[in-house]
């Protein structure tokens, strides 16, 4: 999959993607990510990318022409991109389902705003706007990195074991089950909690059917406690539907209620 990320702070993106899963996927050629410095597409001596807003008011606005030149250069190099995404707090909320949808596209341009945002006319060349949440960041670089990382996890060959993506929180509409690693028992003096912290016996039992059922129950129990609204859209198999009925009945009786 091919990404072009347009920014005035290329180092922010380059430094963040070098280590980790995305960086390794780029080295292997599974992902092709190019970071485009908007200033390289200015034609004045001072490489100006922003200007004052018409009508007055605080802050600066990213000018349209450098952005259009960048998009034209990307089109000349790779073919006209079908998807140009503007990072914007006013966009569609980014979710795991959105990440999966975007991962099916061959080529995506991520456009990072700064200051008060981009000149409104840039939207003529934008195909969608994505927000990573209802808060305002100083620039689109962090949102672009969030989108790149979440989308890349769905691209075959990026994550070593694709099963882990299938089991991730939200992928099937459920939060992920709890994970433990060695040692099986940790003794840690703590005035407010237990000094001996144990891994649940079932995970040490070697009984794979029991472990699978325990994990389903934990994922459902967590989702019910923390994000019950997800359950109406979750894809549950028959066993999970039975477990959910048990959990709901237990909760109604006040039995086995987990605060987490
Ligand atoms: N004045 C703009 C508004 O209220 O819609 C906010 C501009 S913000 C300070 C600068 C840039 O950061 C935006 O153009 C956008 O690219 C990016 N940005 C900020 N918050 C974002 C969010 N929640 N999701 C995606 N991009 C965001």
């Amino acid at each position: 999959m091919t990404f072009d990320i347009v920014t005035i702070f290329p180092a922010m993106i380059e430094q963040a993607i070098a280590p980790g899963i995305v960086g390794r996927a780029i080295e292997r050629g599974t992902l092709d990510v190019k970071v485009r410095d908007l200033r390289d597409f200015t034609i004045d001596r001072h490489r100006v990318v922003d200007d004052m807003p018409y009508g007055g008011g605080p802050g600066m606005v990213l000018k349209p022409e450098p952005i259009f030149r960048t998009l034209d250069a990307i089109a000349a190099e790779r073919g006209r991109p079908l998807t140009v995404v503007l990072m914007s707090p006013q966009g569609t909320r980014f979710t795991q389902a959105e990440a999966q949808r975007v991962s099916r596209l061959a080529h995506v341009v991520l456009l990072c705003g700064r200051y008060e945002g981009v000149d409104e006319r840039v939207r003529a060349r934008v195909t969608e706007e994505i927000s990573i949440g209802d808060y305002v960041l100083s620039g689109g670089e962090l949102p672009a990195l969030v989108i790149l990382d979440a989308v890349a996890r769905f691209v075959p060959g990026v994550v070593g074991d694709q099963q882990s993506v299938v089991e991730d929180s939200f992928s099937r509409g459920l939060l992920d089950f709890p994970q433990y690693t060695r040692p099986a028992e940790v003794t840690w003096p703590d005035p407010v909690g237990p000094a001996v912290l144990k891994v649940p016996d079932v995970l040490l039992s070697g009984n794979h059917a029991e472990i699978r059922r325990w994990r389903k129950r934990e994922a459902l129990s967590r989702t019910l406690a923390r994000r019950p609204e997800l359950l109406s859209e979750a894809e549950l198999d028959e066993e999970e539907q039975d477990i959910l009925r048990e959990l709901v009945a237990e909760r109604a009786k006040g039995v086995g209620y987990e605060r987490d």
Side-chain angles (χ1 to χ4, degrees), residues 34-100:
K34 278 206 177 144
V35 184
R36 315 284 180 163
D37 185 347
L38 198 56
R39 291 190 197 281
D40 291 344
F41 299 91
T42 52
I43 49 176
D44 63 302
R45 206 153 53 91
H46 300 291
R47 297 173 29 106
V48 173
V49 290
D50 58 326
D51 208 335
M52 291 179 296
Y54 274 121
M60 302 295 274
V61 176
L62 284 180
K63 291 162 69 64
E65 306 98 306
I67 294 176
F68 292 151
R69 272 186 222 108
T70 314
L71 293 176
D72 287 349
I74 293 169
E77 191 181 312
R78 301 200 193 262
R80 189 154 292 283
L82 294 178
T83 311
V84 178
V85 187
L86 176 64
M87 305 299 107
S88 165
Q90 303 173 21
T92 307
R93 184 86 66 84
F94 192 58
T95 60
Q96 185 78 339
E98 279 289 284
Q100 191 162 19

Side-chain angles (χ1 to χ4, degrees), residues 74-126:
I74 293 169
E77 191 181 312
R78 301 200 193 262
R80 189 154 292 283
L82 294 178
T83 311
V84 178
V85 187
L86 176 64
M87 305 299 107
S88 165
Q90 303 173 21
T92 307
R93 184 86 66 84
F94 192 58
T95 60
Q96 185 78 339
E98 279 289 284
Q100 191 162 19
R101 174 187 68 81
V102 175
S103 75
R104 296 192 194 104
L105 305 170
H107 178 199
V108 172
V109 177
L110 302 178
L111 196 50
C112 306
R114 273 273 153 184
Y115 314 123
E116 291 305 312
V118 298
D119 182 291
E120 189 64 21
R121 290 163 291 183
V122 167
R123 287 185 162 84
R125 295 282 299 272
V126 162

Side-chain angles (χ1 to χ4, degrees), residues 153 159-169 171-172 176-177 179 212 215:
R153 292 177 63 77
V159 173
D161 183 349
Q162 204 60 22
Q163 186 60 21
S164 82
V165 177
V166 174
E167 286 173 0
D168 274 341
S169 294
S171 280
R172 292 172 51 243
D176 201 0
F177 50 79
Q179 299 279 9
R212 200 179 37 76
R215 286 179 164 169

Side-chain angles (χ1 to χ4, degrees), residues 87-90 113 115-117 130-133 135-140 143:
M87 305 299 107
S88 165
Q90 303 173 21
Y115 314 123
E116 291 305 312
I130 295 183
S131 163
I132 62 160
Y135 41 81
V136 175
L137 297 162
S138 315

